Amino acid sequence: MKKLYNKKTCIICDKEKVEGMHVYTAFICWECERDIVQTEPEEEEYADLVKKLSKIRKSSVLS
Ligand SMILES: [Zn+2]
């Protein structure tokens, strides 16, 4: 039996990952998902993540 690994590109780190979650049409790997959860809203990183996430929302509106 052939094992199928469905690799997807994470929109946060741009790496190909097998495990993660889907947000609308985009894919976020577990590591980045964990990062998002652990990032405080006051941190600069958080603003960057929000920017990336808003990109997803825009693309889902278009599709
Ligand atoms: Zn990632």
Side-chain angles (χ1 to χ4, degrees):
M1 263 243 270
K2 201 166 70 174
K3 244 189 183 175
L4 245 184
Y5 286 108
N6 204 5
K7 275 196 178 175
K8 293 185 170 95
T9 307
C10 169
I11 59 136
I12 307 290
C13 62
D14 275 332
K15 284 175 190 160
E16 286 200 331
K17 298 285 170 104
V18 177
E19 292 184 349
M21 64 164 191
H22 286 98
V23 181
Y24 301 97
T25 54
F27 173 79
I28 299 172
C29 72
W30 288 138
E31 286 156 55
C32 291
E33 199 263 336
R34 206 175 47 201
D35 277 355
I36 293 168
V37 171
Q38 288 174 350
T39 306
E40 298 293 325
E42 302 91 60
E43 287 176 42
E44 252 177 64
E45 234 179 276
Y46 190 86
D48 197 47
L49 290 169
V50 169
K51 232 182 278 169
K52 281 172 175 166
L53 288 171
S54 67
K55 218 164 45 180
I56 310 167
R57 247 175 270 141
K58 271 179 211 149
S59 63
S60 73
V61 167
L62 289 169
S63 61

